Amino acid sequence: MNANLDVVPMQEWINTDGKPLIIAGPCSAETEEQVLETANRIKAEGYAHIMRAGVWKPRTRPGSFEGMGEAALPWLVEAKKQTGLPIAVEVATPEHIELSLKYGVDVLWIGARTTVNPFNVQEIADALKGVDVPVLVKNPVNPDLALWVGAFERLQGAGIKKLGAIHRGFSNAQETKYRNSPMWQIAVEMKRLFPQLPIIGDPSHMAGKRALLMELSQRILDLNYDGMIIETHRDPDQAWSDASQQLTPEALGEMLRELDVRKASYGADFTDELTALRAKIDNIDRELLEVLAARMSVVEKLGEYKRDNNVAVLQLDRWKQVHADRAGQAKGLGLYPEFVEELFKLVHLESIRKQTEVMNTSLA
Ligand code: PEP
Ligand code: MN
């Protein structure tokens, strides 16, 4: 890909003393009390450089909480007054931008559901012409690097140079470990293309659940990201959006203290070709395993169905059909047929073992 971006170094618009940038705050601004209490508890912990809060919430399905809108902006202004933390909100339309700037929001970000749409991104870019505000762009929901790059090019076209990329992972067709699979190689490629563009990890939206935040955050730091954006709420279980992935400001502090932050002098392993290729392989392997695990959980359901309907585990016709079908697909993908044959023999054996296990459970 041939692209170039003129980017103002992050430290010129937010001073983090060389440490990774931490943007912390609730998924959504809900009430004035919730915003102010969360802000003050974040401030007391001392880790944050910027406070985030969603004011307009893009929800996958209607009927969920869609944000308090303009009414929440004065709460954020007050939070900033009380804590001194600059504030960041998500914008998706020219109107959001106009209002955010009117209230003095310091940093804007474009959400994953907006980055996918070039019409939206262009409207946002046009509304930002002549405005000197940092804009962070989340990766699009689908793993399309060009779409992500295109959003930066549109903003750059409007004269925005204080830019940063937020890697929040990519949505999945089937259920996997993560709410949004990281697919690290896409972020690695982004960094390779634009070494000067800060990259910020969003472990909250990758994880979808609290228990996975720590391992994702460590991985983000191990890859030398420039920072993280993490959701934190005064009472996570009662949050109006993304309850299961938020943690209290104090729990976030504890987690951040436990992470190993590499020294800046360690060197950017991101830009090292061999490391980048190995990182790609590691991540593809991880995804292979996740896909295999997803297959096995479907196999388990199939086993239960066969058990409950008294159908034998091994269905030879079906297996022959699977075999022929996969061999054909493999050929189309340029994979060595014998390799794929052996691989699927193993996968099939494991499926039979799993289903037999399910059958036997019923007898116990
Ligand atoms: C958010 O940051 O709360 C959000 C809606 O994230 P995303 O655009 O990554 O889904
Ligand atoms: Mn959220």
Side-chain angles (χ1 to χ4, degrees):
M1 194 183 307
N2 210 345
N4 194 29
L5 288 178
D6 182 9
V7 177
V8 171
M10 191 177 84
Q11 295 297 328
E12 286 182 25
W13 54 267
I14 184 82
N15 179 19
T16 66
D17 288 325
K19 287 199 261 210
L21 168 74
I22 301 292
I23 304 175
C27 179
S28 303
E30 299 162 0
T31 65
E32 183 167 19
E33 294 70 41
Q34 171 252 3
V35 168
L36 295 181
E37 184 185 332
T38 308
N40 282 298
R41 284 168 56 184
I42 290 170
K43 177 67 185 177
E45 286 288 316
Y47 46 69
H49 305 101
I50 297 175
M51 176 175 175
R52 64 150 282 155
V55 165
W56 299 280
K57 301 300 300 175
R59 305 312 300 274
T60 302
R61 309 211 19 225
S64 322
F65 172 59
E66 293 189 333
M68 297 304 291
E70 184 180 357
L73 291 171
W75 309 338
L76 294 177
V77 172
E78 180 59 23
K80 179 181 172 180
K81 204 168 121 198
Q82 293 186 12
T83 62
L85 291 171
I87 48 180
V89 305
E90 172 175 349
V91 291
T93 68
E95 193 201 353
H96 297 166
I97 292 171
E98 193 189 315
L99 287 167
S100 301
L101 296 175
K102 184 174 127 192
Y103 284 87
V105 170
D106 301 279
V107 175
L108 307 177
W109 87 80
I110 297 178
R113 292 166 192 76
T114 305
T115 312
V116 280
N117 187 329
F119 288 133
N120 273 19
V121 175
Q122 191 58 53
E123 272 180 10
I124 289 174
D126 292 343
L128 285 168
K129 267 205 185 101
V131 178
D132 185 28
V133 64
V135 183
L136 309 176
V137 182
K138 290 208 179 193
N139 66 252
V141 280
N142 55 325
D144 184 338
L145 180 68
L147 209 45
W148 201 5
V149 171
F152 285 104
E153 290 174 324
R154 289 176 197 281
L155 292 167
Q156 183 98 99
I160 303 290
K161 292 186 178 177
K162 293 174 182 163
L163 291 165
I166 299 178
H167 175 210
R168 54 75 91 185
F170 303 89
S171 60
N172 302 294
Q174 74 259 32
E175 235 174 82
T176 61
K177 178 175 171 187
Y178 302 113
R179 179 180 179 194
N180 293 294
S181 290
M183 300 196 178
W184 303 100
Q185 69 277 13
I186 292 178
V188 168
E189 184 63 10
M190 192 68 166
K191 194 69 183 173
R192 196 186 66 76
L193 282 173
F194 307 111
Q196 73 282 24
L197 181 70
I199 185 149
I200 295 160
D202 178 346
S204 304
H205 291 89
M206 287 175 181
K209 44 184 151 336
R210 237 161 273 156
L212 297 176
L213 285 175
M214 176 84 185
E215 62 174 76
L216 285 166
S217 302
Q218 187 60 60
R219 189 139 175 91
I220 285 166
L221 291 179
D222 290 347
L223 283 166
N224 268 337
Y225 278 51
D226 299 276
M228 289 197 271
I229 177 166
I230 310 185
E231 290 186 339
T232 173
H233 189 284
R234 64 169 175 177
D235 187 1
D237 289 333
Q238 302 306 318
W240 297 0
S241 58
D242 289 351
S244 51
Q245 71 195 28
Q246 302 199 64
L247 70 190
T248 63
E250 296 74 28
L252 175 56
E254 202 169 308
M255 184 188 92
L256 291 173
R257 285 189 293 275
E258 270 177 46
L259 295 170
D260 296 320
V261 182
R262 290 183 177 188
K263 287 186 218 75
S265 61
Y266 188 90
D269 51 2
F270 245 158
T271 49
D272 178 282
E273 190 65 18
L274 183 67
T275 317
L277 289 172
R278 284 182 176 152
K280 268 191 193 180
I281 298 223
D282 288 352
N283 289 306
I284 291 172
D285 284 353
R286 195 182 299 242
E287 278 153 24
L288 267 176
L289 291 173
E290 281 168 19
V291 170
L292 270 178
R295 188 190 200 276
M296 286 310 159
S297 82
V298 176
V299 162
E300 202 173 330
K301 289 205 184 82
L302 187 64
E304 284 163 12
Y305 182 81
K306 286 181 182 169
R307 177 192 67 201
D308 298 344
N309 292 280
N310 220 8
V311 178
V313 164
L314 182 62
Q315 299 286 321
L316 258 186
D317 287 350
R318 162 71 185 159
W319 174 237
K320 276 186 196 147
Q321 178 215 328
V322 167
H323 191 76
D325 183 62
R326 304 304 183 263
Q329 285 178 22
K331 219 182 267 167
L333 291 166
L335 289 165
Y336 188 55
E338 277 79 4
F339 159 67
V340 173
E341 196 177 326
E342 287 307 310
L343 183 66
F344 272 91
K345 265 189 206 154
L346 282 173
V347 169
H348 187 230
L349 270 178
E350 176 59 12
S351 301
I352 291 191
R353 191 198 63 76
K354 185 94 217 163
Q355 292 185 50
T356 312
E357 197 178 275
V358 172
M359 287 278 178
N360 291 340
T361 327
S362 73
L363 302 175

